C-alpha cells in the first residue's frame, strides 16, 4: 500500500510527512510548485498563495487581487512533471477602492517602519498584506516576535481598518 505524502506550504516553508522514497518525488514537486508560484509575474505583497501536495494532486489556496493570477497559478502548476491534478481553491478578493486604499496605507505603514524596512528589500517581501472588506490579514514570516508585533501595531494604526488578523510566523 502506497503511503501518501501531504505538504502544506505558503511559498516560504514546507512540511513533509511520509516515507523517504515518496519524500524525494514530493520534495521535488514542492520545490517546483513554490518556484513556479513565486515567479508568477503579477504575484506581489498583496497576494497570498499557499498549496498542499497529496501524491500527484496539488491543491492551491490563498487570496489574490487579480483573477488572472488565480488562473496563471493553476496553469503553471499543471505544467509541472508529476502533477496530475490541480484543485484551485484560490479566492479572488473583491474589487474595492477602499480596500485598495487600505492595502497601500498598510504597506506604507509596515514597510516604512525603520525596523521593518529590510523586509521590503527582498524580491518577494515576506510580509503579505491581504485586505478584504476593510479587514486586514498579515501572512508570512518575520525574523522575531518584535517584528511581528510591530507589523501588527502598524497595520492597526491605519485609518479605515476594521480588524487585523496577524498570521505572521517567526523564523526558527
Amino acid at each position: 500500500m502506497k503511503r501518501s505524502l501531504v505538504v502544506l506550504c505558503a511559498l516560504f516553508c514546507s512540511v513533509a510527512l511520509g516515507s523517504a522514497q515518496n519524500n524525494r518525488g514530493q520534495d521535488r514537486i514542492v520545490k517546483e510548485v513554490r518556484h513556479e508560484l513565486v515567479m508568477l509575474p503579477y504575484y506581489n505583497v498583496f497576494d497570498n498563495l499557499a498549496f498542499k501536495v497529496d501524491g500527484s494532486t496539488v491543491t492551491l489556496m490563498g487570496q489574490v487581487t487579480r483573477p488572472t493570477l488565480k488562473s496563471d497559478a493553476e496553469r503553471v502548476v499543471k505544467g509541472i512533471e508529476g502533477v496530475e491534478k490541480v484543485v484551485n481553491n484560490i479566492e479572488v478578493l473583491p474589487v474595492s477602492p477602499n480596500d485598495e486604499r487600505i492595502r497601500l496605507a498598510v504597506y506604507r505603514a509596515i514597510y516604512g517602519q525603520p525596523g521593518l524596512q529590510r523586509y521590503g528589500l527582498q524580491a518577494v517581501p515576506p510580509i503579505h498584506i491581504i485586505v478584504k472588506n476593510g479587514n486586514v490579514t498579515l501572512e508570512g514570516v518575520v525574523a522575531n516576535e518584535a517584528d511581528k508585533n510591530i507589523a501588527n501595531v502598524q497595520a492597526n494604526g491605519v485609518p479605515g481598518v476594521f480588524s487585523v488578523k496577524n498570521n505572521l510566523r517567526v523564523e526558527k
Side-chain angles (χ1 to χ4, degrees):
M1 179 181 255
K2 183 178 174 184
R3 292 179 67 189
S4 174
L5 173 72
V6 178
V7 178
L8 177 59
C9 185
L11 300 184
F12 35 77
C13 68
S14 64
V15 178
L17 308 167
S19 69
Q21 185 178 22
N22 285 342
N23 281 345
R24 280 185 292 248
Q26 298 290 79
D27 286 347
R28 180 191 59 76
I29 291 174
V30 167
K31 287 177 186 173
E32 287 190 39
V33 169
R34 182 183 313 115
H35 174 77
E36 291 295 335
L37 293 177
V38 169
M39 296 305 293
L40 287 168
Y42 296 109
Y43 177 61
N44 65 47
V45 72
F46 303 120
D47 303 307
N48 175 43
L49 293 176
F51 63 91
K52 178 176 80 170
V53 176
D54 186 7
S56 62
T57 301
V58 176
T59 303
L60 299 172
M61 300 163 283
Q63 305 82 21
V64 296
T65 55
R66 296 181 169 143
T68 54
L69 187 55
K70 176 179 178 168
S71 56
D72 287 349
E74 182 175 348
R75 180 183 44 76
V76 298
V77 171
K78 279 183 178 176
I80 295 172
E81 182 181 339
V83 174
E84 295 177 13
K85 182 179 178 186
V86 177
V87 178
N88 194 342
N89 292 334
I90 297 172
E91 173 188 10
V92 178
L93 296 168
V95 176
S96 163
N98 189 51
D99 283 355
E100 189 62 27
R101 182 195 59 75
I102 290 172
R103 281 184 192 99
L104 295 173
V106 171
Y107 177 87
R108 285 188 204 105
I110 290 175
Y111 287 106
Q113 180 68 23
L116 302 177
Q117 286 177 341
R118 68 185 185 278
Y119 295 111
L121 301 175
Q122 298 178 26
V124 178
I127 301 172
H128 288 258
I129 301 160
I130 309 306
V131 180
K132 182 177 180 182
N133 301 324
N135 298 294
V136 175
T137 302
L138 302 177
E139 297 283 353
V141 177
V142 291
N144 54 58
E145 195 70 32
D147 289 350
K148 176 180 177 176
N149 292 335
I150 291 168
N152 190 63
V153 168
Q154 291 301 111
N156 269 301
V158 171
V161 170
F162 296 127
S163 69
V164 176
K165 184 175 182 183
N166 191 346
N167 290 338
L168 293 173
R169 294 182 309 284
V170 176
E171 282 180 324
K172 297 212 183 329

